[in-house]
Amino acid sequence: MKKLFLMPVVIGSVVFMAACGGGGEEKKAEEKASQEAPAPAADNSMVADVAGKGKELMAAQDCATCHKETEKVIGPAFKDIAAKYPNTPENIATLADKIISGGSGNWGEIPMAPHAGISKSDAEEMVKYILTVK
């Protein structure tokens, strides 16, 4: 049961009636609950899914023999590839083809071995992961 109190408030020569009532406990409980509730987490599931799948596919191949995420080994670091190629559908397709067919000249004289056994869709997932490395 809520109680309502009216009290006169004098400002200058004017008298106002101010209402003050119950519900204070309810308000306090609501405020406490809102303060305790965790903020919703950012939804990065799409990024995590792409990174996870591409990274898993690469782990099953010989990529780590020539590449690392942040340092050059035989081939360029993934972060350098990501810096050179914007994440566009055209670049994803081009780089996926490069993984499958191999080649040389873009990063020096040492050629990249072809990986003909990798499907186009798997190669694209790998590239999507590589382009997220910063």
Side-chain angles (χ1 to χ4, degrees):
M1 182 164 132
K2 291 185 179 183
K3 296 178 183 176
L4 182 63
F5 299 98
L6 293 176
M7 59 186 196
V9 177
V10 179
I11 300 176
S13 62
V14 180
V15 177
F16 294 94
M17 293 303 285
C20 176
E25 296 302 317
E26 291 173 16
K27 251 186 193 174
K28 286 179 186 176
E30 287 175 16
E31 287 175 6
K32 186 176 180 182
S34 68
Q35 289 171 354
E36 292 174 358
D43 184 7
N44 292 328
S45 59
M46 294 294 284
V47 173
D49 289 347
V50 168
K53 184 174 183 181
K55 193 171 187 174
E56 286 175 17
L57 290 167
M58 291 174 67
Q61 299 296 323
D62 62 350
C63 305
T65 304
C66 300
H67 302 278
K68 291 196 185 239
E69 285 190 354
T70 58
E71 60 187 78
K72 180 182 182 342
V73 182
I74 295 169
F78 297 145
K79 74 174 179 76
D80 294 333
I81 296 169
K84 183 174 180 175
Y85 296 96
N87 192 344
T88 65
E90 295 79 19
N91 284 338
I92 291 170
T94 298
L95 294 172
D97 289 340
K98 181 69 84 173
I99 289 171
I100 294 167
S101 62
S104 65
N106 291 348
W107 296 93
E109 294 181 26
I110 299 174
M112 179 169 161
H115 297 83
I118 298 175
S119 71
K120 176 82 174 196
S121 64
D122 283 353
E124 287 176 347
E125 290 299 320
M126 292 175 182
V127 171
K128 288 176 186 177
Y129 161 68
I130 292 167
L131 296 181
T132 67
V133 178
K134 303 292 177 210

